PDB file of all heavy atoms in Angstrom:
ATOM      1  N   ALA A1482      40.952 144.908  89.470  1.00 95.00           N
ATOM      2  CA  ALA A1482      39.949 143.851  89.356  1.00 95.00           C
ATOM      3  C   ALA A1482      38.596 144.320  89.883  1.00 95.00           C
ATOM      4  O   ALA A1482      37.549 144.067  89.266  1.00 95.00           O
ATOM      5  CB  ALA A1482      40.421 142.607  90.110  1.00 95.00           C
ATOM      6  N   GLU A1483      38.598 145.021  91.016  1.00 94.00           N
ATOM      7  CA  GLU A1483      37.348 145.556  91.563  1.00 94.00           C
ATOM      8  C   GLU A1483      36.725 146.562  90.608  1.00 94.00           C
ATOM      9  O   GLU A1483      35.498 146.600  90.428  1.00 94.00           O
ATOM     10  CB  GLU A1483      37.615 146.200  92.919  1.00 94.00           C
ATOM     11  CG  GLU A1483      37.975 145.206  94.019  1.00 94.00           C
ATOM     12  CD  GLU A1483      38.382 145.897  95.302  1.00 94.00           C
ATOM     13  OE1 GLU A1483      38.406 147.153  95.330  1.00 94.00           O
ATOM     14  OE2 GLU A1483      38.684 145.191  96.289  1.00 94.00           O
ATOM     15  N   LEU A1484      37.567 147.385  90.000  1.00 95.00           N
ATOM     16  CA  LEU A1484      37.076 148.368  89.034  1.00 95.00           C
ATOM     17  C   LEU A1484      36.432 147.686  87.838  1.00 95.00           C
ATOM     18  O   LEU A1484      35.326 148.054  87.415  1.00 95.00           O
ATOM     19  CB  LEU A1484      38.234 149.259  88.581  1.00 95.00           C
ATOM     20  CG  LEU A1484      37.976 150.179  87.378  1.00 95.00           C
ATOM     21  CD1 LEU A1484      36.865 151.172  87.674  1.00 95.00           C
ATOM     22  CD2 LEU A1484      39.263 150.919  86.996  1.00 95.00           C
ATOM     23  N   LEU A1485      37.092 146.684  87.280  1.00 96.00           N
ATOM     24  CA  LEU A1485      36.553 145.987  86.115  1.00 96.00           C
ATOM     25  C   LEU A1485      35.253 145.264  86.440  1.00 96.00           C
ATOM     26  O   LEU A1485      34.317 145.238  85.632  1.00 96.00           O
ATOM     27  CB  LEU A1485      37.584 145.006  85.562  1.00 96.00           C
ATOM     28  CG  LEU A1485      38.805 145.629  84.868  1.00 96.00           C
ATOM     29  CD1 LEU A1485      39.799 144.548  84.466  1.00 96.00           C
ATOM     30  CD2 LEU A1485      38.394 146.441  83.646  1.00 96.00           C
ATOM     31  N   LEU A1486      35.182 144.679  87.636  1.00 94.00           N
ATOM     32  CA  LEU A1486      33.939 144.011  88.033  1.00 94.00           C
ATOM     33  C   LEU A1486      32.794 145.007  88.145  1.00 94.00           C
ATOM     34  O   LEU A1486      31.673 144.737  87.684  1.00 94.00           O
ATOM     35  CB  LEU A1486      34.146 143.271  89.361  1.00 94.00           C
ATOM     36  CG  LEU A1486      34.950 141.969  89.280  1.00 94.00           C
ATOM     37  CD1 LEU A1486      35.238 141.443  90.685  1.00 94.00           C
ATOM     38  CD2 LEU A1486      34.203 140.920  88.464  1.00 94.00           C
ATOM     39  N   GLU A1487      33.051 146.143  88.750  1.00 93.00           N
ATOM     40  CA  GLU A1487      32.017 147.175  88.874  1.00 93.00           C
ATOM     41  C   GLU A1487      31.619 147.693  87.497  1.00 93.00           C
ATOM     42  O   GLU A1487      30.437 147.905  87.199  1.00 93.00           O
ATOM     43  CB  GLU A1487      32.526 148.323  89.738  1.00 93.00           C
ATOM     44  CG  GLU A1487      31.515 149.440  89.961  1.00 93.00           C
ATOM     45  CD  GLU A1487      30.271 148.969  90.703  1.00 93.00           C
ATOM     46  OE1 GLU A1487      30.362 148.004  91.487  1.00 93.00           O
ATOM     47  OE2 GLU A1487      29.205 149.575  90.494  1.00 93.00           O
ATOM     48  N   PHE A1488      32.612 147.892  86.639  1.00 94.00           N
ATOM     49  CA  PHE A1488      32.400 148.390  85.289  1.00 94.00           C
ATOM     50  C   PHE A1488      31.529 147.427  84.483  1.00 94.00           C
ATOM     51  O   PHE A1488      30.675 147.848  83.691  1.00 94.00           O
ATOM     52  CB  PHE A1488      33.764 148.554  84.631  1.00 94.00           C
ATOM     53  CG  PHE A1488      33.792 149.423  83.394  1.00 94.00           C
ATOM     54  CD1 PHE A1488      32.662 150.097  82.936  1.00 94.00           C
ATOM     55  CD2 PHE A1488      34.969 149.571  82.682  1.00 94.00           C
ATOM     56  CE1 PHE A1488      32.715 150.899  81.803  1.00 94.00           C
ATOM     57  CE2 PHE A1488      35.034 150.361  81.556  1.00 94.00           C
ATOM     58  CZ  PHE A1488      33.909 151.027  81.113  1.00 94.00           C
ATOM     59  N   SER A1489      31.723 146.140  84.667  1.00 93.00           N
ATOM     60  CA  SER A1489      31.016 145.132  83.871  1.00 93.00           C
ATOM     61  C   SER A1489      29.608 144.842  84.379  1.00 93.00           C
ATOM     62  O   SER A1489      28.872 144.074  83.753  1.00 93.00           O
ATOM     63  CB  SER A1489      31.822 143.828  83.842  1.00 93.00           C
ATOM     64  OG  SER A1489      31.913 143.262  85.140  1.00 93.00           O
ATOM     65  N   ARG A1490      29.232 145.441  85.513  1.00 90.00           N
ATOM     66  CA  ARG A1490      27.914 145.168  86.098  1.00 90.00           C
ATOM     67  C   ARG A1490      26.860 146.196  85.712  1.00 90.00           C
ATOM     68  O   ARG A1490      25.682 145.867  85.549  1.00 90.00           O
ATOM     69  CB  ARG A1490      28.025 145.097  87.616  1.00 90.00           C
ATOM     70  CG  ARG A1490      28.716 143.833  88.108  1.00 90.00           C
ATOM     71  CD  ARG A1490      29.049 143.926  89.578  1.00 90.00           C
ATOM     72  NE  ARG A1490      29.705 142.713  90.056  1.00 90.00           N
ATOM     73  CZ  ARG A1490      30.442 142.652  91.159  1.00 90.00           C
ATOM     74  NH1 ARG A1490      30.605 143.740  91.911  1.00 90.00           N
ATOM     75  NH2 ARG A1490      31.019 141.515  91.514  1.00 90.00           N
ATOM     76  N   ALA A1491      27.258 147.449  85.600  1.00 86.00           N
ATOM     77  CA  ALA A1491      26.284 148.496  85.314  1.00 86.00           C
ATOM     78  C   ALA A1491      26.980 149.711  84.739  1.00 86.00           C
ATOM     79  O   ALA A1491      28.143 149.974  85.052  1.00 86.00           O
ATOM     80  CB  ALA A1491      25.521 148.889  86.588  1.00 86.00           C
ATOM     81  N   GLN A1492      26.257 150.448  83.903  1.00 87.00           N
ATOM     82  CA  GLN A1492      26.805 151.683  83.371  1.00 87.00           C
ATOM     83  C   GLN A1492      26.823 152.738  84.460  1.00 87.00           C
ATOM     84  O   GLN A1492      25.865 152.898  85.217  1.00 87.00           O
ATOM     85  CB  GLN A1492      25.979 152.178  82.183  1.00 87.00           C
ATOM     86  CG  GLN A1492      26.550 153.449  81.535  1.00 87.00           C
ATOM     87  CD  GLN A1492      25.634 154.035  80.476  1.00 87.00           C
ATOM     88  OE1 GLN A1492      24.471 153.663  80.388  1.00 87.00           O
ATOM     89  NE2 GLN A1492      26.154 154.956  79.683  1.00 87.00           N
ATOM     90  N   TYR A1493      27.893 153.458  84.544  1.00 89.00           N
ATOM     91  CA  TYR A1493      28.012 154.546  85.523  1.00 89.00           C
ATOM     92  C   TYR A1493      27.079 155.695  85.165  1.00 89.00           C
ATOM     93  O   TYR A1493      26.976 156.098  84.009  1.00 89.00           O
ATOM     94  CB  TYR A1493      29.455 155.051  85.556  1.00 89.00           C
ATOM     95  CG  TYR A1493      29.606 156.398  86.235  1.00 89.00           C
ATOM     96  CD1 TYR A1493      29.703 156.488  87.624  1.00 89.00           C
ATOM     97  CD2 TYR A1493      29.639 157.571  85.486  1.00 89.00           C
ATOM     98  CE1 TYR A1493      29.831 157.720  88.252  1.00 89.00           C
ATOM     99  CE2 TYR A1493      29.768 158.804  86.102  1.00 89.00           C
ATOM    100  CZ  TYR A1493      29.859 158.881  87.475  1.00 89.00           C
ATOM    101  OH  TYR A1493      29.988 160.102  88.086  1.00 89.00           O
ATOM    102  N   ARG A1494      26.375 156.204  86.171  1.00 88.00           N
ATOM    103  CA  ARG A1494      25.581 157.413  86.018  1.00 88.00           C
ATOM    104  C   ARG A1494      25.789 158.265  87.249  1.00 88.00           C
ATOM    105  O   ARG A1494      25.659 157.794  88.379  1.00 88.00           O
ATOM    106  CB  ARG A1494      24.102 157.091  85.850  1.00 88.00           C
ATOM    107  CG  ARG A1494      23.805 156.210  84.648  1.00 88.00           C
ATOM    108  CD  ARG A1494      22.352 156.267  84.231  1.00 88.00           C
ATOM    109  NE  ARG A1494      21.447 156.097  85.365  1.00 88.00           N
ATOM    110  CZ  ARG A1494      20.131 156.253  85.281  1.00 88.00           C
ATOM    111  NH1 ARG A1494      19.597 156.609  84.131  1.00 88.00           N
ATOM    112  NH2 ARG A1494      19.358 156.072  86.321  1.00 88.00           N
ATOM    113  N   ALA A1495      26.099 159.531  87.033  1.00 87.00           N
ATOM    114  CA  ALA A1495      26.475 160.405  88.142  1.00 87.00           C
ATOM    115  C   ALA A1495      25.351 160.551  89.168  1.00 87.00           C
ATOM    116  O   ALA A1495      25.617 160.696  90.360  1.00 87.00           O
ATOM    117  CB  ALA A1495      26.883 161.777  87.606  1.00 87.00           C
ATOM    118  N   LYS A1496      24.111 160.486  88.731  1.00 77.00           N
ATOM    119  CA  LYS A1496      23.010 160.735  89.657  1.00 77.00           C
ATOM    120  C   LYS A1496      22.601 159.499  90.453  1.00 77.00           C
ATOM    121  O   LYS A1496      21.777 159.585  91.348  1.00 77.00           O
ATOM    122  CB  LYS A1496      21.797 161.281  88.908  1.00 77.00           C
ATOM    123  CG  LYS A1496      21.079 160.256  88.033  1.00 77.00           C
ATOM    124  CD  LYS A1496      19.791 160.854  87.472  1.00 77.00           C
ATOM    125  CE  LYS A1496      18.967 159.812  86.727  1.00 77.00           C
ATOM    126  NZ  LYS A1496      17.682 160.349  86.260  1.00 77.00           N
ATOM    127  N   ASP A1497      23.154 158.334  90.108  1.00 73.00           N
ATOM    128  CA  ASP A1497      22.774 157.109  90.796  1.00 73.00           C
ATOM    129  C   ASP A1497      23.390 157.030  92.188  1.00 73.00           C
ATOM    130  O   ASP A1497      24.519 157.430  92.413  1.00 73.00           O
ATOM    131  CB  ASP A1497      23.210 155.874  89.999  1.00 73.00           C
ATOM    132  CG  ASP A1497      22.308 155.640  88.804  1.00 73.00           C
ATOM    133  OD1 ASP A1497      21.226 156.257  88.759  1.00 73.00           O
ATOM    134  OD2 ASP A1497      22.689 154.865  87.913  1.00 73.00           O
ATOM    135  N   GLY A1498      22.656 156.469  93.101  1.00 55.00           N
ATOM    136  CA  GLY A1498      23.174 156.197  94.440  1.00 55.00           C
ATOM    137  C   GLY A1498      23.101 154.710  94.706  1.00 55.00           C
ATOM    138  O   GLY A1498      23.462 153.896  93.877  1.00 55.00           O
ATOM    139  N   GLY A1499      22.589 154.357  95.869  1.00 48.00           N
ATOM    140  CA  GLY A1499      22.396 152.949  96.165  1.00 48.00           C
ATOM    141  C   GLY A1499      23.653 152.258  96.634  1.00 48.00           C
ATOM    142  O   GLY A1499      24.642 152.877  97.021  1.00 48.00           O
ATOM    143  N   GLY A1500      23.614 150.933  96.568  1.00 52.00           N
ATOM    144  CA  GLY A1500      24.693 150.133  97.126  1.00 52.00           C
ATOM    145  C   GLY A1500      26.017 150.311  96.428  1.00 52.00           C
ATOM    146  O   GLY A1500      27.073 150.086  97.018  1.00 52.00           O
ATOM    147  N   ALA A1501      25.989 150.686  95.142  1.00 67.00           N
ATOM    148  CA  ALA A1501      27.243 150.828  94.398  1.00 67.00           C
ATOM    149  C   ALA A1501      27.928 152.158  94.669  1.00 67.00           C
ATOM    150  O   ALA A1501      29.058 152.363  94.249  1.00 67.00           O
ATOM    151  CB  ALA A1501      26.969 150.688  92.904  1.00 67.00           C
ATOM    152  N   ALA A1502      27.247 153.069  95.383  1.00 81.00           N
ATOM    153  CA  ALA A1502      27.794 154.412  95.578  1.00 81.00           C
ATOM    154  C   ALA A1502      29.143 154.385  96.281  1.00 81.00           C
ATOM    155  O   ALA A1502      30.060 155.118  95.904  1.00 81.00           O
ATOM    156  CB  ALA A1502      26.809 155.275  96.355  1.00 81.00           C
TER     157      ALA A1502
END
Side-chain angles (χ1 to χ4, degrees):
E1483 291 174 359
L1484 169 62
L1485 289 175
L1486 285 172
E1487 181 62 28
F1488 197 4
S1489 65
R1490 287 169 180 160
Q1492 183 187 14
Y1493 164 83
R1494 301 199 312 172
K1496 72 173 187 176
D1497 284 346

